Structures are given as C-alpha cells and as structure tokens.
Amino acid sequence: MNDGPVNTPPSSDDDLPEQLRIRREKRAELLAKGKDPYPVEVPRTDTLAGIRAAFPDLEPDTQTGRRVRVVGRVMFVRNTGKLCFATLREGDGTELQAMLSLANVGAESLAEWKALVDLGDHVLVDGEVITSRRGELSVMADSWSMVAKAVRPLPVAHRELSEETRVRQRYVDLIMRPEARDMVRARSAVLRTLREQLGARDYIEVETPMLQLLHGGATARPFVTHANALDTDLYLRIAPELFLKRTVVGGIERVFELNRVFRNEGIDSTHSPEFAMLEAYQAYATYDDMAVLTRELIQESARAVFGSTVVRHADGSEHDLGGEWRSVTLHESVANAVQAEVTPDTGAEELRKIAATHEVALKDSWTAGEIVLELFEKLVEHTLIEPTFVRDYPVEVRPLTRQHRDDPRLAEAWDLIVFGHELGTAYSELVDPVEQRSRLHAQSVLAAKGDPEAMQLDEDFLRAMEYGMPPTGGMGMGVDRLLMTLTGLGIRDTILFPLVRAEG
RNA sequence: GGGCCUCUAGCUCAAUCGGCAGAGCAGCGGACUUUUAAUCCGCGGGUUCGGGGUUCGAUCCCCCGGGGGCCCA
C-alpha cells in the first residue's frame, strides 16, 4: 500500500468528479430499493460463448423458446423509448446482445434499467434466446438485475488507451483491449508448453531459494534485503544456477526451474527488474545438446501461441522460426562485421585499433576477450535477425563455463540471438572444482575492487562441486524475452503488472 | 545518468501572438419498440501535474520538482 490519492477516501462524495458521484448515487439508489448492487450469488445458467455456440446461425427474428440467465459487463447501450439494447461481454471477450422491452419487463423495471445501468456494470439478464429483426443473436429479457455496479466509468472504447493507463491500470487495459487479453493467454500457453516439453523429456521442475546469502550464477547487480530473524542481509537471486547445479550433483540428472529472478539494473523497453527465467540442466549433455533443446522449446512455444512456427508480430510482420538455426562463432561474427581478421589469436592491441576505427569505446583494463565481446555487442548483435547461435566465447567472460575442448582460451558457451536481442544462453558447464574455485576467486577480487556485478565466492557451491559433478549441459532463457520474440512487443506488454513508479 | 518530446473535463485530444479553456465520446434532462460507437433536442462538467517567478493578464514564457514516452550512455 502507498499513501497515494487512490487510497485516501475523499472527505465527502461532493469532492468527487461528477461522473463518479452520480454512479455512487445510483449504487445508493439500488440499495434504497432493496436491490443489492453486489449480490453474493448469481444464478447464471449459460455463458455467452455457450449460447453463441448453441445457436450459430439463426434466421433474423427467430424465437428459440430457450430460457437462459446470462451475465456480462455492459459495453454498449442503445436505449430507446420502449425497447433497450445492450452489448454484454464476458471474460474471454465474447459479446452477446441483451434486449429489454416494455412489454416483457414492465415499465418500472425498464425505467430502472435506463436510470441505474451504466457502461461497465455487470448485469444479469433472464430471458429467451432470440434473434433481432436485424439478425443479432440476443437474449430478450423478462427481468434483469445488477450483478456488480461499476462506480468508475470506463475509458472511451473507440480511442487508444494512453500508454501510461495501459501499464498502470492493466485491469482497464484488459477490459478495453483484446491484445492485452491475448498476451495473458499467450504467456500462459508458453509457460505451459515449456513445462510440458521439459516434462516430456524427463526433466524435473524444482524450486530453489529466491532469498540467498550470496548472489551468483550471473554477473548482475542484486537487490538487497534484510532477514530480521537472522539479522543478516540477503540477496534476491539474480539466477538459480548455483542451486540447480547443486541439484545435479545430488543426482537429479535433468532438472529445471521456471520462475522469477531479480536484477537491480535499468528499466527500459527490454529490461524489467524482475523477470521470468527458465534454466535447465542435463547431466552427460553438452552445449550442443542444449542448443537442440532450446530450439525445440522455442519452436513448440511458437506453435502453442500461433499454431505454427511462423510468428506474427504486432506490426503485422511474419517470421518463420522453424527448421534448423544457423551457428557462427563469436570471432567469426565480429570478423565479418569489421571486415578484418579476428580470431582468438588476435591481440588486444590489434583489437583496440579495430574498435577505434568503428568508434567503439573500450575500458583500458579490458582483455582481448572482453574487447571482442564489446565489439560483438556494439557492432553485431543488433544485426542478427534470424535465430543465430553465437558460439565459443572468451573464457574470461564466462566464469562458469568449461574451457573449449579444442582451444583453452575459449569457453563452450553460446548465446542465442533473435531479432537483434539475446534470447538465451547455454554452456558446457564447468565441473572441475579446482578450476571453478580459481575462476570465482578472480571474480571475488573484482568484487573487492568495487565491481558491483562480479560474482561472490560461494564456498558451499564449491563444496558441492568437490563431491563430483557429472559433465553437464545447462541453458537459460528469459521467458519475457521469449514472449517479446514471439509477439514483437516490449517487455512491459509481456508482463501483466510491470513495476511502475509510485503515482505522484 | 544525459538529451528531446509530453502532462488540459471520466476517456482521447484541441486552444492562433500571452487576452472569457473547447470538441468527440461518456454524463444529466427530454423524444423514440429493432438498435449495432443508435439517432434527435437541450444542459451541466476544469486545482490546465505540483510549487515559484515574469506580466495589467499565464494552458501558453522562465525556474524548481513530479509522472509518462522516445533516443543515447
């Protein structure tokens, strides 16, 4: 709760804007007439969708004899003298017309309908399924009652909702915009698909700590909180990786977690401070195996949303994510972009010259590997539109990845880039506890020097690894990013209630 | 963190050069028994994001602060 004006009751209804005051008066009038504006139970017999399905194509001016009681939110009203029309809508967006005639409901009930029902109200209509003379499938009311009075008016239905209202008042966005409702369903379909597909491959879903004594598994700035009972600071996890690896050590050979991680960093159209992450680990697998898994998970997610690997973006464009995806090494991709030879043998000095000619700013402390990664991020990443696995990163930028079997300066790691953004990553995991200790020690030195993103030395994680971790492939993928890839929308459209600043 | 744009009625937006703050939808009153964003007649509705300044006079110009968007870091 905050103390914003939303939570502060006005001193009297007189202070309210006219339309809110009038609706409150209508609520009071219902109560005065002994009619509950918010009844506890609603004797619905049929959904609007059910009625539409049962009577798909009636002739105009048909009486079915079918008596129903339906509920819905009033989206449009067309009140005439003795015959009123209203468009009712239920949760999935299905609409059905209600008709109220003087002859059927009587003068008093019709007058109350006109006086007390506003756009946005939920109403119950008891009547017969008919079609109007114009052929509109309708319920011709014998009676009606209020189901839930809306005391705040809905936005105009025929204008775009402002960006701010869409995000701050998602409930309004969901009422007004089918695309907002579609996203909720698309996200659910993707989450269900990921779980089903992993389950079908004998992966076990686990839940590991979100509150952690040490943060690790990624390079990112964490949120800090405090546990009173332990009188100690805790971190909200930036990744589940180190606990999932402990799980693999324990013999759970195929394991995944699909839940929220938290990073105390920038907020923009591609970054949210809390986001949903999938991580999966498979013993006796490599980063090549994880590439196949990742591609299949994404392609199945596309099928779950679109019925096909062809995804449709909000701008109307279509993109086929089907088939095999191309791979390129990090150094090849940079060499191609800068039109010069760039290999693991290229020295830092040479790379600095290349960076200068392409106006890429570098830090003095960076190694050759770090410079190549910067060149990739600045010059290449946004150009990779079709799904591309970018492979074999410098070992110093992947502290949890094993050295490449063919070149110890490289790590067996790939990033998956789609539409110019990183969608997922995978490693052949580092499982040598001695090597892992030395890598984390280097990270902890960086942390001691003040790098807030460096990893901490997690002795318990190293102890687990000392018991022997099998060779393992691991992958991670941002679920919000996956939804963005599938829909072409920004991250705040994929998250139902994204973080927003407190209202002023 | 920096730059640019923006904030006006319930909602979406206007307002000329600094001169009585308007429209559509929504609302209220009236007419209308087949409407589809119903239509027709009439009427209300404003802390112009907040604070300060300049001015006879500020939605408009200046300063500080807040919210939102876009671009950059």
Side-chain angles (χ1 to χ4, degrees):
Chain A
M1 298 285 282
N2 63 44
D3 325 328
V6 170
N7 295 322
T8 311
S11 53
S12 85
D13 282 0
D14 296 341
D15 295 344
L16 287 171
E18 181 188 40
Q19 298 200 36
L20 275 64
R21 181 174 50 74
I22 288 168
R23 286 184 180 225
R24 276 166 174 72
E25 288 166 4
K26 292 176 179 178
R27 170 189 172 278
E29 193 173 342
L30 283 163
L31 284 169
K33 290 176 182 295
K35 293 171 179 169
D36 188 347
Y38 305 101
V40 63
E41 200 166 18
V42 176
R44 169 157 79 163
T45 61
D46 292 81
T47 63
L48 305 185
I51 290 170
R52 284 210 169 277
F55 301 99
D57 36 34
L58 294 179
E59 293 296 309
D61 214 5
T62 301
Q63 297 182 348
T64 66
R66 169 77 176 279
R67 294 287 310 267
V68 296
R69 286 190 296 269
V70 297
V71 296
R73 190 192 285 274
V74 177
M75 298 308 294
F76 300 107
V77 290
R78 296 171 291 279
N79 287 344
T80 71
K82 301 185 179 67
L83 181 62
C84 297
F85 304 84
T87 303
L88 304 186
R89 194 167 74 198
E90 65 191 6
D92 69 352
T94 303
E95 293 183 345
L96 192 70
Q97 178 167 272
M99 298 170 62
L100 296 94
S101 77
L102 177 66
N104 291 42
V105 303
E108 186 182 356
S109 181
L110 190 67
E112 286 178 3
W113 170 271
K114 290 190 214 177
L116 300 177
V117 174
D118 287 301
L119 296 182
D121 292 352
H122 293 267
V123 297
L124 172 92
V125 174
D126 182 336
E128 180 187 359
V129 177
I130 64 155
T131 53
S132 71
R133 283 180 202 161
R134 297 286 175 86
E136 185 75 29
L137 188 63
S138 308
V139 174
M140 176 60 91
D142 291 311
S143 66
W144 71 274
S145 62
M146 187 65 72
V147 167
K149 178 70 192 169
V151 296
R152 187 177 287 272
L154 290 173
V156 175
H158 314 289
R159 291 282 192 164
E160 291 273 304
L161 214 48
S162 72
E163 179 84 11
E164 184 166 7
T165 304
R166 282 178 40 204
V167 172
R168 278 192 190 275
Q169 303 184 44
R170 184 70 82 192
Y171 36 89
V172 175
D173 193 27
L174 292 169
I175 293 168
M176 303 310 296
R177 224 165 41 92
E179 296 84 353
R181 299 193 288 275
D182 290 345
M183 176 56 80
V184 177
R185 292 186 163 81
R187 188 173 182 114
S188 172
V190 166
L191 292 173
R192 189 168 56 245
T193 298
L194 293 173
R195 290 195 161 99
E196 284 172 357
Q197 291 293 319
L198 287 162
R201 290 166 177 74
D202 296 323
Y203 279 79
I204 288 168
E205 182 173 11
V206 297
E207 295 166 280
T208 66
M210 292 198 186
L211 291 172
Q212 302 182 342
L213 288 162
L214 298 164
H215 62 86
T219 50
R221 190 186 292 241
F223 285 92
V224 184
T225 186
H226 189 80
N228 292 332
L230 304 175
D231 189 25
T232 187
D233 282 346
L234 294 175
Y235 301 102
L236 275 66
R237 68 174 176 194
I238 57 176
E241 173 154 359
L242 302 188
F243 282 99
L244 291 175
K245 286 180 171 172
R246 287 171 169 91
T247 309
V248 174
V249 168
I252 311 298
E253 293 184 0
R254 296 182 177 212
V255 66
F256 77 98
E257 183 160 8
L258 177 49
N259 218 312
R260 229 70 64 80
V261 300
F262 308 86
R263 298 188 181 178
N264 201 349
E265 298 177 340
I267 303 176
D268 61 30
S269 59
T270 59
H271 295 85
S272 170
E274 60 175 306
F275 59 97
M277 173 92 108
L278 168 68
E279 285 197 14
Y281 293 84
Q282 181 177 335
Y284 315 116
T286 69
Y287 71 153
D288 291 313
D289 300 308
M290 303 320 277
V292 174
L293 172 68
T294 302
R295 176 172 55 76
E296 289 176 352
L297 290 176
I298 293 168
Q299 290 171 339
E300 288 305 318
S301 295
R303 286 193 188 94
V305 175
F306 298 103
S308 152
T309 55
V310 178
V311 302
R312 280 184 304 282
H313 279 189
D315 64 6
S317 61
E318 296 196 343
H319 312 268
D320 190 355
L321 301 181
E324 301 281 322
W325 292 345
R326 77 187 191 106
S327 288
V328 61
T329 71
L330 177 72
H331 289 83
E332 286 166 1
S333 77
V334 172
N336 187 46
V338 301
Q339 296 290 301
E341 185 171 282
V342 177
T343 73
D345 294 320
T346 310
E349 207 167 310
E350 180 65 23
L351 291 167
R352 285 183 185 280
K353 286 181 194 162
I354 292 170
T357 63
H358 290 85
E359 298 179 339
V360 174
L362 304 175
K363 289 183 184 166
D364 292 341
S365 60
W366 280 350
T367 63
E370 288 169 311
I371 295 170
V372 170
L373 185 61
E374 183 70 10
L375 289 172
F376 172 79
E377 289 179 356
K378 286 294 183 297
L379 300 177
V380 184
E381 183 170 298
H382 65 274
T383 69
L384 300 177
I385 305 306
E386 66 174 288
T388 305
F389 291 106
V390 179
R391 295 160 58 93
D392 301 342
Y393 284 73
V395 73
E396 65 264 35
V397 300
R398 289 291 182 271
L400 302 170
T401 310
R402 79 156 61 216
Q403 289 177 325
H404 199 286
R405 63 196 81 177
D406 298 330
D407 185 338
R409 295 168 300 182
L410 300 177
E412 289 205 2
W414 53 251
D415 275 4
L416 172 62
I417 312 295
V418 189
F419 301 129
H421 293 285
E422 180 193 336
L423 177 55
T425 189
Y427 312 152
S428 296
E429 302 292 345
L430 176 58
V431 297
D432 177 344
V434 176
E435 175 69 13
Q436 182 69 83
R437 177 177 295 278
S438 121
R439 301 260 199 104
L440 286 180
H441 181 71
Q443 284 285 311
S444 67
V445 169
L446 290 176
K449 284 181 183 166
D451 182 346
E453 294 189 347
M455 295 183 195
Q456 296 178 313
L457 190 68
D458 186 335
E459 284 291 349
D460 179 69
F461 168 63
L462 290 169
R463 179 168 61 192
M465 198 165 277
E466 286 165 3
Y467 282 103
M469 177 168 166
T472 299
M475 62 80 68
M477 176 164 62
V479 175
D480 319 273
R481 290 283 182 91
L482 175 54
L483 265 302
M484 292 163 68
T485 299
L486 297 179
T487 63
L489 295 170
I491 196 167
R492 295 212 311 171
D493 285 308
T494 72
I495 296 176
L496 191 51
F497 297 105
L499 183 68
V500 288
R501 287 180 202 274
E503 289 182 69

